[in-house]
Amino acid sequence: MSELEAKDKPSNFIRDAALEDLKSGRYKGIVTRFPPEPNGYLHIGHAKAICLDFGLALEFGGRCHLRFDDTNPAKETTEYVEAIKADVRWLGFDWGPHLYHASDYFDKLYEWAEALIKNGLAYVDDLTPDQVVEYRGTLTVPGRESPYRNRAVGENLDLFRRMRAGEFPDGSKTLRAKIDMAAGNLNLRDPVMYRIRKTAHHRTGDTWCIYPMYDWAHGQSDSIEGVTHSLCTLEYEDHRPLYDWYIQALGIYAPRQIEFARLNLSHTVMSKRKLLQLVEEGLVSGWDDPRMPTLAGLRRRGYTPGAIRDFCERIGIAKADNLVDIALLEHCLREDLNLRAERRMAVLRPLRLIIENYPEGRAEELDAVNNPEDPGAGTRKVPFGRILYIEQDDFRDPPPPKYFRLSPGVEVRLRYAYIVKCTGVERDAAGQVTTVRCEYDPASRGGDARGRKVKGTIHWVSAADAVDAEVRLYDHLFTAPKPDETEDWKTLVNPRSLEVLRGAKLEPSLAGAKAGDRFQFERQGYFCVDSRDSAPGRLVFDRAVGLRDTWAKIEAKT
Ligand code: ATP
Ligand code: MG
C-alpha cells in the first residue's frame, strides 16, 4: 500500500477510507459505481459524483460501473439513458463492459424478498399510501404498527405472489420490511420494499407490475456487483442503517456506503425536478439550453470536459454542505480555453469606420497571432480595407473621462494593423453615430506607434470580407445566488440571461467554423459554435464565458 500512499494527490476522507480498507484487507480492490436514475439529464452536481466514483477506481486500478437506477418506470425513458451515457463518455470516463441496470436484478430482488418473507422479516400491508405515512409517525411521534403486520408467513407469500401476478390495483398493497416501528430513524419504521405500479418499464416492458423501492434495490445491486465503496450524497446518511440491515438480513456480501456533501452551485438550481420544470414550462429552450447547469447545456455552451474535471478537483470532497460560487466554474473554463482557443476578431455590435486616406479598391492582408499562449498555433492573414467595422462601444463622442478608445481628434491602434485618427462622424436624424471617419498613418503598419503615445487598441473586421453571424450572450440563469431558498424560485429566472445579437461581423477565417469549435474573440470572451442552431451558411455562436475573471476577486476577498 505504501506506493499508493506515496502518490501526491490531495487526499480526502473517502480516499483515506479506501486506503484503510485495502490495508486492513476488508476489500481486495476498489469497485465503485455511478448510479443515475434515468429521469432527466445529468448536471454539474452529477459530474462531481462521476469524477469521484470513476476517479477513485482509476486511481486504485479498480473499476467503476455505470448502473441505471431504473426502479420508477413512470419517470424514466430511453432518451435519458442514452443522454446519460453520452455525457459520462464526454466527461472522459469509461465503464468498459460494466453497464448495469437495477432492472437487471428484478428477478433476484424478488427472490430475496420472498426469502425475507419466509424468515418473517417482511409482510404484505393493506394500508393505503396515505395511511402508511400516517402510521409512520414523525421524529417526535413514534410510529404505530399496521394491523396487517403480523400476518402469517404463508398468507404473506400468497399475497405477495398475487401482487406480482397483477391481482391487485395500484396502491392497494405494499410489501414492507418488518423492522421496528419505534425506531428513532424513520427509515427503519418498516420501510416499503415494493409497491404496485401497472406501468410499462422502458426495459422490462410489462413483465412487472410491482417495482422495488430505491432502498431495497440499491444496496442489493451494489452487493450483486461486488461494489466495495458505494459513494452517495449526504441525504442518504440516514438510509445507511437500512442499507446495512437489508444486506445483513439476507446474509450477502456487504459493500460500504460512504456519504459526501453534494455540490451546490450559486445562481442556478440543480434538482432534476426543477430542471425538468424549466424545460417543460419553456423557461429555457431544452435540457441543453446553454444556460442550464446540465452537462448537455455546458457542452453546448462551450465547456470542455477538462474544465469540468478541473472544477470537480478544485471543489474537493467534504462532509459539510456548502455553496460553490459559479464564478469558480467559469474560472476553470477560462483557464482551459486560454491555453487552447485560437484568437479571432469579431465585432458584435458593428459601427462603420471609413479610412478616408486609404486608397479605394486597395486590399491587403495583415498577420495575426492565433494564440499567444501557444506559439505552435502559428499566425493567420486578416484582410484589411478602407471600410471596417468596429465595436459601437469603442467610439464615444464626447469621450467620458479616462476613455482610451476612439473619439473625435483621438488616435487608436487597430489591432495588427495601423494607427488611425478620428476626423469626424456621420449621424442619422436621431443623432446616432452611423459612421466614423478616420485617417490612417501608412507608416504605422503592424501597429508601430513610432514614438507617439497611443493608449487604446481596438479590434475590427474588414467590411468587404466580413462573415455574418448571430451571437448569443448569456448571463446567470437566476438573479439570486440561492434561488432554491425561495418558494417562488421560478420568478428569479434572470430575464437578461440571454441576449441575441443578430448582426455580428466576423473576420473571414471564421467562415468554416464547425459546430463545437471554440475561439477567443479578442477583448470579448470565449465563444463556441452552437451545435444545435448553426447550419451551413448560418453561423451561431454562444458566449461560453467572458474574459473578466470575477473569481480572482472573490478569492482575494476570502
Ligand atoms: P437530483 O437531486 O438532481 O434529482 P438525484 O440524486 O435524484 O439528483 P440521481 O440520478 O439519483 O439523481 O443521482 C445519481 C448520483 O449522483 C447519486 O449518487 C447522487 O448522490 C449523485 N448526485 C446527484 N446530485 C448531486 C450533486 N448535486 N452533487 C454531487 N452528487 C450528486
Ligand atoms: Mg436519486
Side-chain angles (χ1 to χ4, degrees), residues 34-37 43 45-46 49 231 233 260 262-263 270-272:
F34 173 63
E37 180 179 359
H43 51 60
H46 292 118
L231 312 176
T233 36
F260 62 95
R262 65 193 295 116
L263 167 65
M270 207 101 85
S271 103
K272 280 185 278 186

Side-chain angles (χ1 to χ4, degrees), residues 114-363:
E114 285 208 351
L116 290 191
I117 294 174
K118 287 174 189 159
N119 288 331
L121 294 174
Y123 62 96
V124 172
D125 195 357
D126 292 5
L127 292 184
T128 64
D130 284 345
Q131 287 172 317
V132 169
V133 172
E134 190 201 320
Y135 275 64
R136 184 178 298 134
T138 64
L139 284 174
T140 48
V141 178
R144 274 183 295 148
E145 295 190 352
S146 162
Y148 308 98
R149 194 173 196 261
N150 294 312
R151 277 176 161 148
V153 167
E155 188 187 356
N156 280 321
L157 260 187
D158 173 61
L159 287 172
F160 186 49
R161 287 173 184 166
R162 287 164 61 196
M163 276 171 64
R164 180 192 184 167
E167 284 186 31
F168 308 113
D170 282 15
S172 61
K173 290 190 183 346
T174 53
L175 183 74
R176 299 178 69 176
K178 195 169 182 176
I179 306 180
D180 179 4
M181 287 309 288
N185 184 333
L186 296 182
N187 292 306
L188 295 177
R189 294 187 188 171
D190 291 10
V192 173
M193 295 168 62
Y194 277 95
R195 59 200 164 156
I196 305 174
R197 274 280 147 74
K198 294 188 173 161
T199 305
H201 184 278
H202 73 275
R203 288 189 75 246
T204 58
D206 290 323
T207 308
W208 296 89
C209 62
I210 56 171
Y211 289 97
M213 301 300 289
Y214 170 87
D215 286 313
W216 170 240
H218 200 81
Q220 284 45 259
S221 303
D222 285 343
S223 178
I224 291 169
E225 293 175 16
V227 166
T228 57
H229 296 84
S230 182
L231 312 176
C232 58
T233 36
L234 282 181
E235 64 270 25
Y236 294 104
E237 194 165 20
D238 288 346
H239 295 243
R240 184 164 15 105
L242 178 57
Y243 183 104
D244 293 339
W245 188 91
Y246 282 134
I247 296 274
Q248 264 176 28
L250 294 168
I252 57 179
Y253 159 81
R256 175 177 178 191
Q257 175 179 304
I258 306 178
E259 309 85 19
F260 62 95
R262 65 193 295 116
L263 167 65
N264 300 305
L265 194 61
S266 77
H267 298 92
T268 192
V269 292
M270 207 101 85
S271 103
K272 280 185 278 186
R273 188 176 54 80
K274 288 184 176 166
L275 295 175
L276 180 65
Q277 277 184 53
L278 291 175
V279 172
E280 285 186 335
E281 294 174 26
L283 293 165
V284 296
S285 64
W287 285 101
D288 68 349
D289 185 303
R291 291 167 294 178
M292 289 279 269
T294 52
L295 296 183
L298 293 169
R299 174 168 59 235
R300 183 169 161 202
R301 173 93 170 244
Y303 271 79
T304 58
I308 294 177
R309 290 194 306 261
D310 178 35
F311 170 74
C312 292
E313 184 93 8
R314 289 192 202 204
I315 56 175
I317 301 296
K319 195 102 195 171
D321 254 321
N322 68 341
L323 179 74
V324 175
D325 198 298
I326 198 164
L328 176 60
L329 179 62
E330 294 169 347
H331 173 81
C332 292
L333 178 62
R334 210 176 275 118
E335 287 219 321
D336 189 29
L337 291 184
N338 180 42
L339 299 178
R340 62 168 79 226
E342 291 201 353
R343 275 54 169 172
R344 293 291 183 269
M345 290 198 286
V347 174
L348 305 189
R349 298 174 180 87
L351 173 62
R352 221 157 67 113
L353 180 147
I354 297 180
I355 305 172
E356 295 181 301
N357 61 339
Y358 193 88
E360 256 176 275
R362 179 169 159 199

Side-chain angles (χ1 to χ4, degrees), residues 377-396:
T379 61
R380 68 187 185 286
K381 297 282 185 196
V382 185
F384 187 81
R386 182 178 151 86
I387 305 180
L388 308 175
Y389 292 114
I390 62 168
E391 219 52 75
Q392 286 169 17
D393 253 6
D394 285 338
F395 177 82
R396 287 289 174 79

